[in-house]
């Protein structure tokens, strides 16, 4: 499965729990926060000042190696 930047944090965590360390390394330490669960990757990346495309690429590379 591939993820997209339109998917929410909650959706991608349900795809594979192994994505959590990637998000934490990107500075997203509020994964358990209810509002974070409903944010899209794109929204969360914007708030944290990182590239959504680079984060999605990193996650999809991880998923393809599974």
């Amino acid at each position: 499965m591939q993820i997209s930047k339109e998917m929410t944090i909650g959706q991608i965590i349900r795809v594979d729990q192994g994505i959590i360390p990637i998000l934490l390394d990107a500075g997203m330490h509020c994964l358990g926060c209810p509002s974070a669960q409903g944010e899209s990757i794109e929204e969360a990346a914007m708030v944290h000042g990182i590239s959504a495309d680079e984060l999605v690429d990193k996650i999809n590379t991880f998923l393809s190696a599974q």
Side-chain angles (χ1 to χ4, degrees), residues 21-44:
I22 297 169
L23 298 174
L24 292 173
D25 285 346
M28 297 181 182
H29 299 123
C30 52
L31 299 176
C33 172
S35 62
Q37 293 289 306
E39 271 187 330
S40 71
I41 299 243
E42 188 169 37
E43 292 167 332

Side-chain angles (χ1 to χ4, degrees), residues 42-59:
E42 188 169 37
E43 292 167 332
M46 184 177 61
V47 168
H48 289 88
I50 58 176
S51 166
D53 292 324
E54 287 179 21
L55 183 57
V56 167
D57 287 346
K58 215 179 265 192
I59 293 169

Side-chain angles (χ1 to χ4, degrees), residues 5-27:
K5 61 186 176 184
E6 291 80 21
M7 293 175 75
T8 66
I9 300 293
Q11 288 172 321
I12 67 162
I13 289 173
R14 286 190 293 278
V15 168
D16 190 316
Q17 295 267 323
I19 294 171
I20 293 172
I22 297 169
L23 298 174
L24 292 173
D25 285 346

